């Protein structure tokens, strides 16, 4: 009989297929009576979730036999890590394999926001090029001051890509890193220096609202804000109000509060480029993320060390 696994959210199809081939998968997200399924799974040792879905303390409390939470995603901010620690539940995630794709999407948003790529596309499609002539001019990247908020694996990969566009780089984070780029222990100071801020820090309580109204105001009316981290990292209401009042020039956003619901104000703003939290969503990366989830499960069931423990 195959081992039981509780699945909290649908995964990318090939991964889910492989998971269902190897284990007896119980789909919590499909259950009409979730409490009844949880009660019947109380001794299930393994739960699989995604970065967006995570797992809260109440769900884990209903699973006293839980020993491992495997996350399809690098960000574990939606997993109650304190509960896991207190109850001896191991957690794994999918670092490294998604770094390049996430950094690439940050650059795509940077270019799209500065060069108004989406607005340009609309300009052509809606016939304005013919009826009104050239679109309004925009801003180039060369020489630009880019502040990276969070110089971890993804932040560093973004910074490296930015240098190819001949931009200047500086960064903020809890710690100075062994790099030549200038470090700003104070985010407000970094925002004052920057033309663009790119958020690449982890989510969760330690970074909630880190990019505050004050930080966005310091970025200024010509400033752009790019976010491939988590919606929680920025004060979304302040972001919307500054974009609306001209206190900020533009934004490129892959992540939001309360996904998949994006505020109507953002949707109505032509100077904002929106993406549906798709930074890691390429075939190769999603396959590699799924591979890590399965490798961690295999290691755990075989009593071997986890491949990518958090
Ligand atoms: C995924 C992510 O979109 O890795 C993360 O933290 O946010 C993304 O790669 C997500 O985990 C899949 O739902």
């Amino acid at each position: 009989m195959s081992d039981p696994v509780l699945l909290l959210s649908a995964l990318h199809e090939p991964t889910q297929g492989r998971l269902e081939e190897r284990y007896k998968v119980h789909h919590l997200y499909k259950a009409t009576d979730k409490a009844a399924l949880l009660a019947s799974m109380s001794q299930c040792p393994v739960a699989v979730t995604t970065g967006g879905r995570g797992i809260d303390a109440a769900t884990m409390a209903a699973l006293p036999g839980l020993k491992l939470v495997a996350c399809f995603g690098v960000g574990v901010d939606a997993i109650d890590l304190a509960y896991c620690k207190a109850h001896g539940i191991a957690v794994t995630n999918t670092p490294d394999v998604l770094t390049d794709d996430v950094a690439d999407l940050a650059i795509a948003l940077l270019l799209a926001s500065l060069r108004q790529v989406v607005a340009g596309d609309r300009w052509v499609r809606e016939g304005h090029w013919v009826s009104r002539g050239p679109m309004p001019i925009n801003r180039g990247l060369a020489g630009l001051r880019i502040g990276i908020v969070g110089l971890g694996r993804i932040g560093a990969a973004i910074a490296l890509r930015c240098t190819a566009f001949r931009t200047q780089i500086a960064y903020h984070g809890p710690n100075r890193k062994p790099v030549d780029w200038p470090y700003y222990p104070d985010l407000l100071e970094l925002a004052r220096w920057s033309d663009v801020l790119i958020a690449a820090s982890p989510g969760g309580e330690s970074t909630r609202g880190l990019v505050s109204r004050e930080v966005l105001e310091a970025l200024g009316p010509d400033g752009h804000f790019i976010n491939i981290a988590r919606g929680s990292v920025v004060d979304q209401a302040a972001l919307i109000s500054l974009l609306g009042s001209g206190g900020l020039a533009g934004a490129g956003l892959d992540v939001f509060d309360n996904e998949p619901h994006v505020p109507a104000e953002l949707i109505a703003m032509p100077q904002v480029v929106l993406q549906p939290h798709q930074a890691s969503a390429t075939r190769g990366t999603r396959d590699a993320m799924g591979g890590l989830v399965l490798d961690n499960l295999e290691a755990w069931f075989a009593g071997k060390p986890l491949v990518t423990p958090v």
Side-chain angles (χ1 to χ4, degrees), residues 9-12 49-53 71-77 93-95 98 102 154 228-230 254-255 259 276-281 285-286 289:
S9 177
L11 300 179
H12 117 289
T49 190
T50 60
R53 174 67 175 79
C71 179
F72 182 89
V74 68
V76 290
D77 48 294
N93 66 346
T94 61
L98 44 64
V102 177
I154 293 172
I228 49 75
R230 285 291 183 261
D254 186 44
V255 288
E259 292 173 10
H277 196 151
Q278 67 115 335
S280 70
T285 289
R286 286 285 163 93
M289 290 164 68

Side-chain angles (χ1 to χ4, degrees), residues 19 25 65 116 118-119 123 146 157 205 216 265 280 303:
L19 189 73
V25 177
Q116 289 291 289
V118 177
W123 196 263
I146 298 190
E205 287 316 308
L216 293 169
E265 294 99 316
S280 70

Side-chain angles (χ1 to χ4, degrees), residues 83-167:
Y83 185 98
C84 292
K85 197 172 173 196
H87 293 83
I89 300 168
V91 178
T92 62
N93 66 346
T94 61
D96 299 314
V97 293
L98 44 64
T99 299
D100 285 329
D101 280 340
V102 177
D104 288 352
L105 196 81
I107 299 300
L109 286 171
L110 175 69
L111 282 163
S113 190
L114 270 291
R115 302 304 313 272
Q116 289 291 289
V117 174
V118 177
D121 179 272
R122 277 195 297 263
W123 196 263
V124 176
R125 284 176 204 277
E126 291 171 9
H128 301 323
W129 196 12
V130 175
S131 61
R132 290 156 66 177
M135 72 183 272
I137 58 173
N138 44 62
R139 190 170 184 188
L141 264 71
L144 215 65
R145 295 172 167 195
I146 298 190
I148 312 277
V149 183
L151 200 77
R153 287 175 282 235
I154 293 172
I158 294 169
L160 198 62
R161 283 158 173 74
C162 285
T163 59
F165 293 95
R166 299 197 294 109
T167 64

Side-chain angles (χ1 to χ4, degrees), residues 223-293:
H224 290 250
F225 175 65
I226 309 297
N227 194 358
I228 49 75
R230 285 291 183 261
S232 60
V233 167
V234 62
D235 178 342
Q236 188 169 279
L239 177 65
I240 292 170
S241 99
L242 288 167
L243 284 164
S245 66
L248 206 58
L253 309 171
D254 186 44
V255 288
F256 307 87
D257 284 339
N258 193 28
E259 292 173 10
H261 305 286
V262 176
E265 294 99 316
L266 284 177
I267 289 176
M269 288 174 180
Q271 76 277 35
V272 177
V273 182
L274 303 169
Q275 293 294 307
H277 196 151
Q278 67 115 335
S280 70
T282 68
R283 275 187 287 276
T285 289
R286 286 285 163 93
D287 285 345
M289 290 164 68
L292 273 180
V293 169

